Amino acid sequence: MPKRSRDELEGVDFNKRLRSDPRDRLSALSDELLLVLLSYLPVHDLTRCERTLASDSQIWKSAYYERFVRPRAARIPGIREANVLNKSLLYSSKLSKWLEDGPLVRRGRGTNWKRQYKLRHNWSRGSCKRTETEVAEQPPIPPLLVRLHEGIVITADSIAGLRAWWTRGGDRRIASMAWDTDSHSSAAPSSLAIDSSTTTIDSMRISVGFLDGSFGLYCLDRRKRSLKCRYMHAPSTNGTISAIAFAFPYLLTMTEAQLLSLYRFPIIDDKPSYQEKFHSPRLLSSLKSYTAWPPLSLAIRCSSTVVSTSIAYAMPTYTAGWSVGLQELRLTTEGTVLESRLATPFSHGFRPLAAPESRTRPTSLDMNSSMAEVPFARFTSPSAKPTSLSYTHPYLLAAYSDNTMTLYMVTSNAQELIIGPGKPLCGHTSSVSGAHVGDRGKAVSVSAGGNDLRVWELEAGLSSSTSRRRAVWGEASVMIRPENQTSDEPTSGTNGPDRIMSNSMATAAREDLMTSNGWLSFDEEQVVLLGEKSQGSQALIVYNFA
């Protein structure tokens, strides 16, 4: 073959093959210099680095702050409007604003920052692993009650009694106990709550309301894998306890007769113990309502000086369809009632007939009087009744059967109680049967068919006009997409109600599942959903993001 001339080679780009250098130049550097160099790598390169120092906690702590904490800190009022860069927003191991992630920092070396980064990254993508645990062969009457706290699921029903489950591992069931029919006439539970304020590693306090108006307190010992009843309140003539909230020593109940009652137990030991016994509580206050309808959401918030108890409820209005209301009761830590107040939102054309067009103001109530009647409203188009309500201050989230949700911001301080205008959240393609608001401004919702789960960042959805437009157009949520892979967790057996189905089996049966009453909950690592098959069996569906 003749050799080509120089003119023919003009314009041809030759990629020279670089000769690899077998010498390891990085190993000669000190660990301090290596950490500085690795801190400049993007995360996707850092995950592929084979060096041990690439998993250093300080590198991933900085990356965690820059991606997940700093954007939230920049939205704090006062910092967001500042023209100069606030030094507290720059990463520093001691001076940075960590907001709700402060406990991770205070935990010190006990925090695996690489794992925390991966966890939050999976949440942002909706990437998770899906498993199922069957809990009932037939749906009980009343329906099965479920609550989740720190990786433990508590279930209560009239057939199997009170049970505790791990959300991962092979042997899921921790403990179980049957109802003591001698203690009360009706052993059918109607409401369930977990004390999340004083839970320890070993013990957990649980409160259960019953159809006959009674309620009981139970203690779970995780190490001994045992449940015990520690107090049983006498039945009441006010009807079924339809909702309950528990933050020791306070217990808040709502009965079928729309009677809201707040109890306070004598404090013997702040930390829960499996052997502790509760004395009879003292009734601090009781309010009668004529406008509060289900769905309901009860909450208790405790500070060093004031305890705030609240109930969010659906409210029928004249010619306006349904709206939402919030009743709040404030009292001192000793139990002295300070005030009770009421708030409703003025949104979507909602205007009282006898008041100017302004933001709602708190309504103070006498402790011996009923809840104030809400003024009649005027709507251009009536609103449907919410299918679900969830209130975790300051977010009040209402779900509807028209595939949408409405988010309200609640302002509660010593001077006023205000519910801001509702902001629509779109994204579901079918009726929204359940929604739950957690900490850090995050919410999870599920459709009626159980196949459309979405994660919402509520704080970002209200921070700017662009975010609000994204919420209206259905772009403010992330759809949960389980990975289609076989579960590597061992099963507890092939038969019985405690068997676990792998992801491959769950995928085949996915179309056969639907939600039961729209219940779902989530914590830092997982979402738990109560599903029901067409044959009637019920299962806990766990979406693990870790």
Side-chain angles (χ1 to χ4, degrees):
M1 179 182 292
K3 186 176 182 180
R4 288 183 293 179
S5 63
R6 182 181 297 272
D7 296 336
E8 295 177 355
L9 298 178
E10 291 184 0
V12 180
D13 185 17
F14 293 98
N15 294 324
K16 293 184 179 181
R17 181 178 299 176
L18 298 178
R19 184 176 299 175
S20 59
D21 189 351
R23 292 176 296 177
D24 185 3
R25 300 180 183 273
L26 291 178
S27 298
L29 301 178
S30 64
D31 290 348
E32 290 77 8
L33 289 176
L34 283 175
L35 288 176
V36 174
L37 294 176
L38 292 174
S39 65
Y40 288 98
L41 289 179
V43 172
H44 66 275
D45 290 335
L46 199 60
T47 55
R48 293 184 298 176
C49 185
E50 299 179 356
R51 292 187 173 272
T52 306
L53 288 177
S55 300
D56 185 79
S57 181
Q58 288 300 320
I59 295 178
W60 289 99
K61 182 179 180 181
S62 175
Y64 183 95
Y65 178 84
E66 292 295 332
R67 180 177 177 184
F68 301 113
V69 181
R70 182 177 177 181
R72 293 192 63 219
R75 293 193 292 264
I76 297 177
I79 297 179
R80 178 179 54 195
E81 294 81 3
N83 294 325
V84 296
L85 183 63
N86 195 308
K87 293 183 179 180
S88 62
L89 294 183
L90 300 177
Y91 173 73
S92 171
S93 60
K94 297 182 178 180
L95 302 179
S96 300
K97 290 182 177 295
W98 285 92
L99 305 180
E100 288 86 354
D101 291 289
L104 296 177
V105 180
R106 291 189 291 270
R107 203 179 298 169
R109 295 183 178 180
T111 300
N112 187 335
W113 288 103
K114 184 177 181 179
R115 183 179 184 276
Q116 292 295 326
Y117 187 97
K118 180 181 178 181
L119 179 63
R120 293 290 295 271
H121 173 73
N122 289 340
W123 273 103
S124 65
R125 295 179 55 197
S127 177
C128 60
K129 182 179 178 181
R130 184 176 188 264
T131 57
E132 299 176 17
T133 303
E134 188 174 300
V135 294
E137 296 181 356
Q138 295 294 330
I141 301 177
L144 181 74
L145 304 173
V146 189
R147 290 295 180 269
L148 168 68
H149 181 64
E150 293 186 352
I152 295 180
V153 176
I154 305 296
T155 62
D157 64 89
S158 58
I159 301 175
L162 186 65
R163 292 176 290 175
W165 312 75
W166 295 112
T167 55
R168 64 178 63 182
D171 188 9
R172 294 289 181 98
R173 182 183 292 188
I174 303 175
S176 63
M177 64 167 294
W179 306 118
D180 185 5
T181 55
D182 296 333
S183 300
H184 47 90
S185 57
S186 176
S190 57
S191 56
L192 176 65
I194 298 176
D195 176 24
S196 59
S197 59
T198 55
T199 302
T200 63
I201 298 178
D202 298 332
S203 301
M204 177 186 296
R205 297 188 182 111
I206 305 165
S207 59
V208 181
F210 294 90
L211 289 178
D212 59 1
S214 63
F215 62 84
L217 298 187
Y218 302 83
C219 287
L220 168 66
D221 190 307
R222 306 185 193 185
R223 293 187 177 180
K224 296 182 179 179
R225 302 172 72 97
S226 179
L227 280 163
K228 284 290 184 67
C229 178
R230 292 306 179 189
Y231 175 79
M232 181 59 65
H233 198 70
S236 173
T237 58
N238 295 309
T240 300
I241 296 182
S242 55
I244 192 169
F246 188 27
F248 188 81
Y250 301 98
L251 182 73
L252 187 65
T253 63
M254 183 67 170
T255 65
E256 192 177 23
Q258 298 187 354
L259 182 66
L260 184 68
S261 301
L262 177 63
Y263 299 89
R264 186 177 190 273
F265 287 88
I267 300 179
I268 300 177
D269 189 0
D270 291 338
K271 296 182 179 180
S273 173
Y274 180 71
Q275 301 296 333
E276 68 178 334
K277 292 185 178 180
F278 298 98
H279 297 281
S280 298
R282 177 167 64 97
L283 179 63
L284 300 180
S285 181
S286 184
L287 298 175
K288 177 69 175 179
S289 170
Y290 298 96
T291 59
W293 296 87
L296 307 172
S297 180
L298 274 61
I300 301 176
R301 294 185 293 120
C302 301
S303 65
S304 58
T305 57
V306 178
V307 177
S308 298
T309 62
S310 56
I311 174 174
Y313 54 89
M315 178 183 62
T317 56
Y318 178 65
T319 71
W322 291 83
S323 182
V324 297
L326 184 66
Q327 176 79 33
E328 186 178 77
L329 181 65
R330 300 177 71 249
L331 61 158
T332 63
T333 54
E334 290 78 17
T336 303
V337 177
L338 299 176
E339 63 175 335
S340 176
R341 49 195 186 179
L342 179 70
T344 57
F346 291 172
S347 60
H348 301 293
F350 183 95
R351 294 293 182 271
L353 297 178
E357 295 187 2
S358 61
R359 299 181 71 184
T360 179
R361 294 188 176 91
T363 302
S364 299
L365 301 178
D366 185 3
M367 292 302 100
N368 297 323
S369 66
S370 63
M371 292 184 183
E373 292 288 337
V374 179
F376 291 144
R378 180 171 57 240
F379 269 148
T380 56
S381 59
S383 298
K385 184 180 180 181
T387 58
S388 172
L389 275 180
S390 180
Y391 175 56
T392 300
H393 186 76
Y395 303 104
L396 174 58
L397 187 61
Y400 297 92
S401 58
D402 61 353
N403 310 355
T404 65
M405 298 190 298
T406 302
L407 175 64
Y408 303 91
M409 285 292 293
V410 178
T411 301
S412 175
N413 49 44
Q415 291 76 32
E416 58 185 2
L417 175 66
I418 295 177
I419 301 180
K423 306 295 181 182
L425 299 178
C426 303
H428 281 280
T429 57
S430 60
S431 172
V432 185
S433 61
H436 178 70
V437 180
D439 299 331
R440 304 182 182 180
K442 182 185 295 182
V444 175
S445 58
V446 61
S447 64
N451 56 353
D452 186 6
L453 275 82
R454 293 185 175 270
V455 180
W456 305 80
E457 291 293 342
L458 303 181
E459 189 176 64
L462 296 174
S463 59
S464 64
S465 58
T466 303
S467 299
R468 289 190 289 270
R469 285 194 297 269
R470 292 179 67 247
V472 173
W473 287 100
E475 300 175 353
S477 63
V478 176
M479 187 174 181
I480 297 179
R481 303 179 184 274
E483 298 176 358
N484 188 12
Q485 61 183 13
T486 303
S487 174
D488 56 358
E489 297 178 357
T491 59
S492 58
T494 56
N495 299 317
D498 300 338
R499 63 181 180 272
I500 303 170
M501 293 186 291
S502 65
N503 277 354
S504 58
M505 297 174 61
T507 303
R510 188 169 302 171
E511 298 298 330
D512 195 31
L513 276 172
M514 59 177 295
T515 60
S516 176
N517 298 326
W519 181 89
L520 79 161
S521 184
F522 67 95
D523 56 16
E524 293 295 326
E525 298 185 0
Q526 56 212 339
V527 175
V528 179
L529 173 69
L530 181 61
E532 181 178 335
K533 289 186 178 181
S534 58
Q535 293 87 354
S537 61
Q538 292 182 322
L540 292 176
I541 309 173
V542 180
Y543 299 86
N544 195 328
F545 292 83

